[in-house]
Amino acid sequence: MSRDPDAPDSRISDAGGDPATDAAADPAPGGAPRPSNERGEGSVRVVGTAHVSEASVREVEETVAEERPDVVAVELDEGRYRQMKGETPDDLDPGDLLTGNTVFQFLAYWMLSYVQTRMGDRFDIEPGAELLAAVETAEDLGISVALVDRDIQVTIQRFWARLSGMEKLRMVGALAFGVTDPRVAGITFGLIVGVLLGPAIGLFGGAVGITDAVLTRVGVGALAGLVAGYLGFRAASLSLGGGAGRSGAGGVDGDAADAPDGVRTLGVAAVVAVAVAGAVTVTGVGVDAVAGLLSGTIVRAVGSLGLGLLAGVGVGALTAVAIDALGVAPDAAEAEYEEFDPDDLTDTDVVTAMMEEFRQFSPGGAEALIDERDAYIAHQLVGLREEGYDVVAVVGAGHRAGIESYLAEPASLPPMDSLVGTAKSGGIPWGKIAAFGISAAFIAFFVLLAMAGVRNEQLLTLFAAWFLINGVFAAGLAKLAGARWRSAGVGGAVAWMTSVNPLLAPGWFTGYMELRHLTVNVSDIGTLNELLSDETRPVRAIFSDMLDVPLFRLIVVVAATNVGSVIASLLFAAYVVPVFAGSLDASIADLMIRGARESARILWGAVT
């Protein structure tokens, strides 16, 4: 966005003017400025509302009409105001979106927006309707409007920075359970565990009896299962009409008949793949013949990944069962909505209880999301009052008590400088320490091997393997996620370097290339919420449409590129390094020690 997000957000305009510009004149009732020498001490009345309550809309309209204040102040920043008014939303800054933790900040913002949208759909009211009513009523009456909330980007960044690691995991997990069937989320979690567990089995499987022979048999079985699954998928697609999402045959009861053909096609393919893979693995039929045609390293790698995925699916199944047992499935959430009265959110006791519950979940998050904004908004209101304006401030009920306490004692307000700007996460920066450690270890690995006398051509071959594996996996997953070939190629080309320096990410480079063809803005989040709120369509169709939303496509492409690089690094350590070690005249550990001694000897000679 072009405007400095750290600058105060209060904007005052006469009715019909542009709220995005600072006022040169002071407004008064009817939009006419009052001479400064006639203005005494102003006043502020705070109206606490529920953002999804029709009653709050009526209360706001009636209060503004009765009070006829000089200014109506609303809990909005410039960007949200423009979006609410239907104006062209601001484009998101690519640099902000692709670097650091901004992807996760986006997820946090999306989760908050999605929950509010779902509640609005449930109670048939647009979230923030009372704020829009306040603005429109003021405009109709010729009353000036002030935007007094902090920029949403600043708030979300500071909110995310103050969450602990566990709170961040819970936040992202809550989003996953909110936008899809929790059982699907559980299986997805299991698959991620399996992908990470596969290389670990390749490295340490021998210690628990998983021999090369076992990995070879599982690897051939997995390859046979993939081929059989693909053939089964093609056959089922032809039989079911291509799996285009058509419902099952009419007149047949049960979930299977109601499932989209695409889901059943995938189910057939999965059953065939698992059956063939299991049969080959158990019987050993054709294992020796296939293993003789392929590289032993590749077969064992596939075998360890297959075992890892099998274990991961088991973990996912247990997670799904636990989710059901804990009663956090979507039906349970809908039942809670059925019993919920949005008008209760304006009740002091209810709001206080909800705020305290949120503070127990995340004291730091509550500080950024509630306390700091209370102080920020109060700063704006105190300023308007001191300039002599009579103000009606329309804010969420959760902010009312905090704002009114500051209005009663302005001296207790924290300095404005402490409420804006980028917040830093507290505690020891373990992520950066680990990143520098990985970079140092990679450089030391090659330097010490060279000092130990390993031939240059062997080191170049090892580096070429590192470059190739990282490039193939990063570019391959980026392409599967929908990236253009050039974007995927750029991400793959730099993946080796970003793996050495984890403070960088290949997904950033892929994302920047994609942004040459995409324009992302804040309205994309509203589009995503609309898609996710449609409970009549199959998940596959919804996800396909979500990939057409520029912001979501960008996030998926960036994430897929990074995941591909991580997987490649694990596979390199699990399979390539052991093969490389077998070509040397000593173990890697011995060579590292020899290289360290030789380096120490040279350094000692240089200083003495």
Side-chain angles (χ1 to χ4, degrees):
M1 297 183 182
S2 58
R3 185 176 57 79
D4 181 4
D6 293 343
D9 269 331
S10 180
R11 300 288 187 268
I12 306 176
S13 71
D14 294 337
D18 181 2
T21 59
D22 292 320
D26 297 318
R34 241 189 312 183
S36 58
N37 59 2
E38 294 181 9
R39 188 186 308 132
E41 180 72 14
S43 64
V44 177
R45 175 179 175 181
V46 181
V47 179
T49 67
H51 294 317
V52 290
S53 170
E54 181 64 36
S56 289
V57 174
R58 293 192 298 271
E59 179 187 5
V60 166
E61 293 172 340
E62 293 171 359
T63 301
V64 173
E66 291 174 1
E67 294 285 333
R68 296 295 181 99
D70 301 336
V71 178
V72 172
V74 290
E75 183 197 326
L76 290 172
D77 65 348
E78 181 184 334
R80 285 181 293 158
Y81 171 86
R82 293 177 59 192
Q83 185 178 7
M84 185 174 291
K85 293 287 285 184
E87 298 179 17
T88 302
D90 291 327
D91 291 343
L92 296 174
D93 186 342
D96 290 341
L97 185 62
L98 294 176
T99 57
N101 287 322
T102 313
V103 170
F104 299 103
Q105 294 168 28
F106 156 75
L107 291 175
Y109 177 57
W110 185 14
M111 191 202 75
L112 296 172
S113 172
Y114 177 72
V115 169
Q116 195 172 77
T117 299
R118 287 294 300 271
M119 291 179 67
D121 290 343
R122 168 64 185 84
F123 299 110
D124 194 25
I125 185 171
E126 187 73 19
E130 86 289 0
L131 299 177
L132 181 59
V135 171
E136 292 179 343
T137 303
E139 291 174 346
D140 291 342
L141 297 174
I143 299 172
S144 299
V145 175
L147 311 179
V148 294
D149 200 3
R150 185 171 62 185
D151 187 282
I152 187 61
Q153 294 185 67
V154 175
T155 295
I156 292 298
Q157 189 280 324
R158 294 172 74 92
F159 169 68
W160 186 260
R162 284 184 168 84
L163 293 180
S164 67
M166 184 58 64
E167 289 167 355
K168 290 174 180 176
L169 288 175
R170 290 170 63 187
M171 178 74 70
V172 175
L175 176 64
F177 294 153
V179 302
T180 187
D181 188 327
R183 289 158 292 190
V184 174
I187 296 296
T188 303
F189 170 74
L191 291 176
I192 295 174
V193 170
V195 169
L196 299 177
L197 185 61
I201 292 175
L203 279 172
F204 309 110
V208 293
I210 304 177
T211 63
D212 287 347
V214 172
L215 293 178
T216 299
R217 179 173 286 204
V218 173
V220 172
L223 292 172
L226 288 174
V227 173
Y230 175 75
L231 295 176
F233 176 81
R234 298 299 301 174
S237 296
L238 293 174
S239 174
L240 294 172
R246 185 170 45 82
S247 298
V252 180
D253 295 330
D255 294 337
D258 295 332
D261 287 344
V263 175
R264 289 192 285 164
T265 301
L266 291 174
V268 170
V271 170
V272 171
V274 171
V276 172
V280 172
T281 300
V282 172
T283 64
V285 174
V287 169
D288 293 337
V290 174
L293 296 174
L294 300 175
S295 166
T297 300
I298 293 177
V299 172
R300 290 192 297 274
V302 173
S304 63
L305 283 175
L307 287 176
L309 288 173
L310 183 62
V313 169
V315 171
L318 291 176
T319 303
V321 170
I323 290 171
D324 273 342
L326 293 173
V328 294
D331 290 342
E334 292 298 328
E336 291 179 3
Y337 282 144
E338 291 290 343
E339 300 173 358
F340 180 76
D341 184 356
D343 294 335
D344 287 344
L345 285 181
T346 59
D347 181 79
T348 303
D349 293 337
V350 173
V351 171
T352 300
M354 293 180 67
M355 294 300 100
E356 289 305 315
E357 184 175 348
F358 182 60
R359 290 185 194 283
Q360 291 179 6
F361 166 75
S362 174
E367 179 184 359
L369 207 59
I370 302 169
D371 300 338
E372 287 186 354
R373 290 175 62 212
D374 289 350
Y376 187 97
I377 294 172
H379 264 292
Q380 311 300 325
L381 297 179
V382 168
L384 291 171
R385 185 176 64 182
E386 290 178 348
E387 293 178 16
Y389 299 125
D390 293 326
V391 181
V392 167
V394 181
V395 300
H399 295 288
R400 181 176 181 176
I403 292 172
E404 288 184 336
S405 67
Y406 284 127
L407 292 174
E409 297 183 28
S412 64
L413 278 168
M416 177 62 83
D417 290 346
S418 68
L419 305 174
V420 296
T422 301
K424 296 182 179 179
S425 300
I428 301 174
W430 294 112
K432 292 184 178 180
I433 293 174
F436 284 116
I438 292 173
S439 300
F442 183 88
I443 295 172
F445 177 76
F446 279 93
V447 170
L448 293 180
L449 288 180
M451 296 301 297
V454 176
R455 298 192 309 274
N456 288 339
E457 55 267 28
Q458 289 178 300
L459 293 177
L460 287 174
T461 300
L462 182 63
F463 179 81
W466 171 263
F467 178 90
L468 183 63
I469 291 175
N470 269 275
V472 168
F473 274 84
L477 264 68
K479 185 59 185 174
L480 286 175
R484 290 168 173 79
W485 278 111
R486 181 175 296 181
S487 303
V490 169
V494 302
W496 71 272
M497 177 180 64
T498 56
S499 296
V500 175
N501 183 4
L503 293 179
L504 299 175
W508 298 354
F509 296 87
T510 306
Y512 276 116
M513 293 297 295
E514 282 293 294
L515 281 169
R516 294 185 176 185
H517 308 279
L518 295 174
T519 300
V520 297
N521 56 56
V522 293
S523 67
D524 288 348
I525 294 178
T527 304
L528 292 173
N529 288 340
E530 290 178 4
L531 291 172
L532 290 170
S533 299
D534 188 350
E535 300 178 354
T536 63
R537 303 176 63 212
V539 173
R540 180 182 179 188
I542 292 176
F543 185 77
S544 177
D545 287 346
M546 289 174 66
L547 287 175
D548 291 333
V549 179
L551 180 57
F552 187 74
R553 175 183 287 272
L554 181 66
I555 295 296
V556 171
V557 166
V558 169
T561 308
N562 293 338
V563 169
S565 181
V566 170
I567 294 174
S569 300
L570 294 173
L571 293 175
F572 179 85
Y575 306 111
V576 177
V577 171
V579 172
F580 172 75
S583 66
L584 302 175
D585 58 2
S587 68
I588 288 182
D590 291 338
L591 289 173
M592 298 286 283
I593 294 173
R594 186 190 307 173
R597 289 175 177 170
E598 183 63 17
S599 300
R601 185 188 66 78
I602 293 174
L603 290 174
W604 179 256
V607 299
T608 57

